[in-house]
Amino acid sequence: GQLHQGRSRGPCFTNRRRALCSRGEVGQVAQGRRLPPSGREETQAIRLPLRHLHELDLALELLNRLVDDFPVRPVFRKRLANTLNSLASVQWEMGAPPQAEQNWGRARALLERLLVESTGVADYHKHLGIVLGNLGLVGAKRQIKLLLD
């Protein structure tokens, strides 16, 4: 199974990725190292724009400030949780499981707190389900690895 990153991989992201691919600015990430683009195999491998991690870091910095400055605005906490989920998915695929699990934990805590405050918002349930699904997939992969070792 693949980790779910929410809306960050929508049509805009796909079109942007194609544009970067055509300019040779997208590489293939395999076992935590960048490899040059490789034609048809490109659709089957993990690809990240060079600026993707930097953009996620900038978004996190901005959203953390917004959450601190406007603690009563739940939209900022929800967006922060979604960004943490996306970052964790990227970190996991790049071979950084401890950081990924830490960010999924932060996303989970934010969404659980939002649910306590606003139990009737289905969107919070949906996003928490995505984060919990990613954590469950990671736990299952860890168990399989332990069984095989």
Side-chain angles (χ1 to χ4, degrees):
Q2 289 186 326
L3 300 172
H4 190 283
Q5 293 185 2
R7 294 185 209 175
S8 67
R9 299 206 119 196
C12 294
F13 181 83
T14 303
N15 291 338
R16 187 167 149 231
R17 183 173 66 188
R18 281 189 197 124
L20 291 171
C21 287
S22 68
R23 295 193 317 249
E25 295 181 29
V26 172
Q28 179 176 346
V29 176
Q31 298 174 339
R33 63 179 192 273
R34 285 186 43 75
L35 300 172
S38 60
R40 286 202 177 270
E41 296 170 17
E42 184 175 79
T43 58
Q44 297 173 359
I46 301 162
R47 249 125 333 312
L48 299 173
L50 295 174
R51 293 170 281 184
H52 192 64
L53 286 174
H54 178 68
E55 290 171 357
L56 284 169
D57 286 337
L58 290 175
L60 282 176
E61 183 181 324
L62 176 64
L63 287 166
N64 276 316
R65 278 192 269 150
L66 287 169
V67 166
D68 290 342
D69 291 346
F70 302 98
V72 295
R73 300 288 307 268
V75 66
F76 297 131
R77 287 183 282 162
K78 184 187 99 173
R79 288 184 180 168
L80 176 58
N82 290 339
T83 302
L84 286 165
N85 180 56
S86 295
L87 177 60
S89 296
V90 170
Q91 289 170 327
W92 179 265
E93 295 295 337
M94 292 182 70
Q99 294 89 345
E101 290 185 71
Q102 180 182 12
N103 284 319
W104 276 317
R106 286 183 60 206
R108 178 183 182 175
L110 283 166
L111 291 165
E112 286 175 342
R113 195 165 357 134
L114 284 170
L115 279 170
V116 167
E117 294 170 8
S118 307
T119 56
V121 181
D123 203 35
Y124 300 157
H125 288 277
K126 177 184 86 172
H127 291 291
L128 180 59
I130 291 169
V131 170
L132 291 174
N134 287 339
L135 283 168
L137 183 60
V138 166
K141 286 182 178 185
R142 183 182 297 122
Q143 290 298 319
I144 290 170
K145 185 177 179 182
L146 285 173
L147 290 171
L148 294 175
D149 287 345

